[in-house]
């Protein structure tokens, strides 16, 4: 083969890969099943090309077909295309209060999962990851035959060096300089490479996408992940803003009062010392074993201490979020975790504070939304991230 022939072959291969990805993304992004004719129209391909590519993707499991709905129309009904059900990814999560394993397919369905609650504050990394590995191995052992795993991701509540997969620091776990891929049994992720990421950044993907490749209702938003501490992420155009080193979003450690309480991170007056779950419950006179739902009941019933705790948390959130909105011009805020459970109580005071502090509020008032109640959303987001790779390069997964 001449050099010219090689270049031509490479261009054709690249074009095919690009077109396969376009077809896969078009089907996965649609809120309704698409026919091959629909795909051709949406991608400006010929019907023949769109059909051939779709057939390849169906054969490889990237796309699937469902029974056609005649809808009363004449002629043979078109066979609708949907995301495939034979490819899935493993999402793992370690948080201060639980371990989670979740297997999600390209349709966004949870194929298998397990959630184990535990107190992991100041835990031993090796012992904890051994425990996570055992939990994951049990989940993977029960997967249906024919399911192909394409990737594995781990969500952790701290600063992660993505290039090396190192958890640099997780104050609420008490972990520093941990390389999970070296401690986790390969069998726990079916021998796949493990990608580690920040829990809040990965959880934000479950708001940015309602299923892998399908956009959620907000293209731009600030996400707060509420657990024992508070994580955060800024999403623009459906993509999480990672920052220069991938460490962006640590809103829980934004100082709202320099003279405030000491934080596990070593600073004082951090947002999570007022609005983190344990801090919020303690301020209401409740123990860590209590729940945000109980706090909400007390506040709604007029309990003075509970209402004061919610007001203080809302005020602290207002200070931190106003700074983020003023800098980034993203007036949509989505509250996750325990913050979502008390969002209705937080909203009046929080919106009032943001109207006072956000310069552009006169024209675009900040809006506060509660995320859907998904246990361990970081695990789901970790799986979504791995499945995004299939939609970027589906040719890799074809026979």
């Amino acid at each position: 083969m001449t050099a010219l022939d090689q270049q031509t072959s490479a261009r054709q291969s690249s074009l095919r890969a690009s077109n396969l990805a376009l077809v896969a993304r078009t089907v996965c992004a649609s809120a309704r099943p698409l026919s091959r004719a629909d795909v051709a129209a949406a991608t400006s391909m010929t019907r023949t090309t769109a059909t051939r590519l779709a057939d390849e993707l169906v054969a490889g499991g990237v796309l699937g077909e469902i029974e056609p709905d005649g809808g009363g129309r004449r002629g043979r009904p078109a066979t609708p295309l949907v995301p495939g059900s034979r490819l899935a990814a493993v999402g793992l999560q370690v948080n201060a209060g639980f371990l989670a394993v979740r297997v999600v397919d390209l349709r966004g369905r949870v194929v298998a999962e397990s959630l184990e609650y535990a107190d992991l504050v100041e835990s031993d990394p090796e012992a904890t990851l051994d425990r996570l590995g055992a939990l994951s191995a049990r989940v993977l052992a029960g997967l249906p035959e024919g399911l192909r795993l394409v990737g594995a991701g781990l969500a952790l509540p701290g600063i992660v060096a993505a290039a090396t997969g190192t958890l640099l620091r997780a104050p609420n776990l008490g972990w520093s300089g941990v390389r999970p891929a070296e401690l986790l049994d390969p069998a726990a992720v079916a021998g796949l490479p493990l990608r580690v990421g920040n829990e809040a950044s990965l959880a934000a993907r479950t708001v940015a996408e309602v299923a892998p490749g399908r956009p959620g209702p907000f293209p731009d938003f600030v996400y707060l992940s509420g657990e024992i501490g508070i994580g955060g992420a800024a999403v623009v155009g459906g993509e999480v803003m990672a920052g220069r080193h991938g460490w962006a979003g640590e809103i829980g450690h934004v100082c709202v009062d320099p003279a405030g309480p000491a934080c596990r991170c070593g600073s004082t007056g951090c947002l999570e010392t007022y609005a983190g779950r344990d801090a919020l419950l303690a301020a209401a006179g409740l123990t860590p074993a209590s729940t945000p739902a109980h706090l909400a009941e007390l506040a709604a019933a007029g309990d003075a201490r509970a209402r004061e705790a919610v007001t203080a948390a809302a005020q602290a959130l207002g200070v931190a979020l106003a700074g983020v909105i003023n800098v980034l011009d993203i007036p949509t805020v989505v509250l996750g975790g325990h913050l979502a459970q008390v969002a209705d109580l937080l909203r009046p005071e929080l919106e009032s504070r943001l109207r006072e502090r956000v310069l552009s509020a006169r024209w675009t008032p900040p809006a506060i939304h509660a995320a859907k109640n998904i246990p361990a959303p970081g695990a789901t987001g970790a799986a979504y991230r791995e499945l995004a790779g299939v939609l970027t390069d589906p040719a890799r997964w074809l026979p």
Side-chain angles (χ1 to χ4, degrees), residues 54-79:
D55 288 347
E56 288 188 56
L57 292 166
V58 169
V62 176
L63 297 182
E65 295 177 321
I66 59 175
E67 288 297 319
D69 178 7
R73 295 189 296 270
R74 286 186 172 185
R76 182 180 177 183
T79 301

Side-chain angles (χ1 to χ4, degrees), residues 95-179:
N95 223 314
F98 62 82
L99 300 171
V101 179
R102 184 167 289 133
V103 179
V104 183
D105 69 13
L106 264 176
R107 296 182 185 178
R109 301 179 307 181
V110 177
V111 179
E113 67 177 336
S114 185
L115 187 66
E116 186 176 291
Y117 291 97
D119 180 2
L120 299 173
V121 175
E122 301 297 330
S123 60
D124 176 71
E126 186 170 358
T128 300
L129 290 169
D130 280 346
R131 189 171 173 182
L132 178 66
L135 187 68
S136 182
R138 290 195 295 273
V139 171
L140 298 188
L143 292 180
E145 290 186 14
L147 189 71
R148 185 179 181 189
L149 297 176
V150 301
L154 170 62
L156 294 172
I159 297 176
V160 175
T164 61
T166 303
L167 176 67
L168 300 178
R169 191 176 183 202
N172 289 318
L173 291 178
W175 296 7
S176 295
V178 177
R179 295 176 65 90

Side-chain angles (χ1 to χ4, degrees), residues 305-369:
R305 192 166 178 183
R307 295 188 69 86
E308 287 172 4
V310 170
T311 298
Q315 291 173 347
L317 284 163
V319 172
L321 283 169
V324 173
I325 295 171
N326 280 329
V327 170
L328 299 180
D329 183 25
I330 305 177
T332 300
V333 176
V334 179
L335 303 179
H338 77 277
L339 296 174
Q341 297 178 51
V342 294
D344 289 342
L345 294 171
L346 292 168
R347 188 176 285 110
E349 180 69 22
L350 177 53
E351 288 182 339
S352 174
R353 293 288 170 169
L354 291 177
R355 284 195 297 269
E356 294 172 359
R357 291 178 169 274
V358 174
L359 190 62
S360 59
R362 175 181 172 186
W363 299 277
T364 308
I368 309 299
H369 302 274

